[in-house]
């Protein structure tokens, strides 16, 4: 589902953000990505989501070759992806319902299907009673649940989560991980960057370690 072969990313200032990265993630696999700040985690995720281009090497995501993908093709790739951010990135002037519905509206889904999908995913993340509340009235954990619901509502093949528990307490962090594990159990490939080593140890999932732009560990 995600394959990288000899991937390099070098910026104009000669900073090598990624160095000869090789990895393969299977459909339905749950994988952690760990490493210190500046190690290359966010750069790697940007490459996978086609927010930036590799300098050299091969990246394939959900059947798309990102080394040759065109601007016209990128929206179709994004339909296969769900992305969860540490800072939620919710639209403050839109309700929970409207935030979650956004990926389906972009795809011009019919009203009946859209309504059913939005209500179903919000029930799954425990927010079925807060459809029409606004993000600022929710707790941090609830906002992250909305972010996860938005990432999953269109049933993506791949879910990328960049420090999804970074602003949450330990109990809420475990709840968020439960939701992501459930997504993997349903067939979505889940790739999670985190600094939380205690959480990683408790979950006992495959864990990649990146340092100075290189994958230096792959513990299964």
């Amino acid at each position: 589902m995600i394959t990288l072969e000899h991937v390099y990313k070098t910026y104009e200032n000669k900073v090598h953000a990624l160095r000869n990265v090789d990895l393969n993630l299977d459909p339905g696999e749950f994988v952690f990505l760990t490493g210190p700040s500046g190690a290359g985690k966010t750069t790697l995720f940007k490459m996978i989501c086609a927010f930036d281009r590799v300098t050299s090497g091969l990246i394939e995501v959900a059947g798309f070759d990102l080394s040759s993908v065109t601007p016209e093709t990128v929206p179709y790739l994004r339909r296969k992806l769900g992305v969860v951010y540490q800072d939620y990135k919710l639209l403050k002037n839109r309700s929970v319902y409207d935030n979650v519905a956004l990926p389906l509206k972009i795809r011009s889904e019919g009203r009946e299907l859209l309504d059913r999908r939005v209500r179903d995913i919000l029930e799954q993340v425990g927010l079925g009673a807060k459809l029409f509340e606004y993000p600022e009235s929710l707790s941090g954990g609830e906002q992250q649940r909305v972010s996860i619901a938005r990432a999953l509502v269109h049933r993506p093949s791949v879910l990328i989560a960049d420090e999804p528990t970074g602003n949450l307490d330990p109990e809420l962090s475990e709840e968020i991980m439960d939701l992501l594990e459930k997504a993997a159990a349903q067939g979505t490939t889940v790739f999670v960057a985190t600094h939380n080593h205690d959480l990683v140890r408790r979950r006992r999932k495959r864990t990649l370690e990146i340092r100075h732009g290189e994958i230096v560990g792959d513990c299964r």
Side-chain angles (χ1 to χ4, degrees):
M1 191 54 65
I2 300 176
T3 299
L4 282 76
E5 296 180 359
H6 306 301
V7 168
Y8 288 82
K9 178 60 179 179
T10 304
Y11 291 102
E12 292 180 357
N13 58 3
K14 306 299 183 183
V15 171
H16 301 290
L18 296 176
R19 302 168 182 260
N20 198 29
V21 174
D22 290 306
L23 64 88
N24 185 75
L25 276 64
D26 295 326
E29 191 171 12
F30 188 114
V31 180
F32 284 115
L33 178 66
T34 65
S37 297
K41 297 189 298 298
T42 298
T43 299
L44 179 57
F45 280 2
K46 284 181 178 179
M47 301 298 112
I48 292 172
C49 296
F51 290 125
D52 202 350
R53 286 289 189 105
V54 298
T55 303
S56 64
L58 169 73
I59 299 184
E60 291 185 353
V61 178
F64 289 82
D65 180 354
L66 302 195
S67 60
S68 61
V69 70
T70 65
E72 293 76 20
T73 306
V74 167
Y76 296 97
L77 164 69
R78 299 266 170 80
R79 293 181 182 185
K80 301 285 188 178
L81 301 177
V83 184
V84 179
Y85 302 93
Q86 180 178 351
D87 58 354
Y88 321 135
K89 294 192 184 300
L90 301 177
L91 300 175
K92 295 181 179 180
N93 62 341
R94 301 286 183 88
S95 68
V96 167
Y97 183 101
D98 287 336
N99 268 280
V100 174
L102 188 59
L104 298 179
K105 289 181 178 179
I106 291 172
R107 294 172 57 171
S108 301
E109 295 286 2
R111 182 179 298 178
E112 183 177 338
L113 174 62
L114 182 151
D115 185 68
R116 184 170 66 250
R117 288 267 189 92
V118 171
R119 291 177 183 273
D120 179 61
I121 194 66
L122 284 171
E123 285 290 343
Q124 289 184 44
V125 302
L127 294 174
K130 300 198 174 187
L131 290 170
F132 302 111
E133 295 192 22
Y134 285 77
E136 290 187 344
S137 71
L138 304 178
S139 68
E142 288 171 334
Q143 290 186 58
Q144 191 60 293
R145 286 168 178 258
V146 175
S147 177
I148 291 171
R150 181 183 59 192
L152 292 174
V153 71
H154 60 298
R155 299 178 180 174
S157 301
V158 174
L159 179 68
I160 299 296
D162 193 0
E163 298 288 353
T165 63
N167 295 325
L168 306 178
D169 63 38
E171 183 176 351
L172 289 174
S173 295
E174 295 293 344
E175 292 178 5
I176 295 303
M177 284 299 111
D178 287 343
L179 292 173
L180 298 182
E181 282 198 24
K182 182 178 179 181
Q186 294 173 344
T188 297
T189 300
V190 179
F191 200 12
V192 181
T194 183
H195 285 103
N196 190 332
H197 294 287
D198 289 336
L199 186 151
V200 170
R201 282 192 289 270
R202 287 194 296 273
R203 292 286 160 166
R204 297 182 179 180
K205 300 293 184 181
R206 179 184 176 190
T207 302
L208 301 172
E209 182 181 2
I210 187 169
R211 289 182 179 274
H212 305 296
E214 297 181 77
I215 301 295
V216 298
D218 185 350
C219 181
R220 296 174 183 264

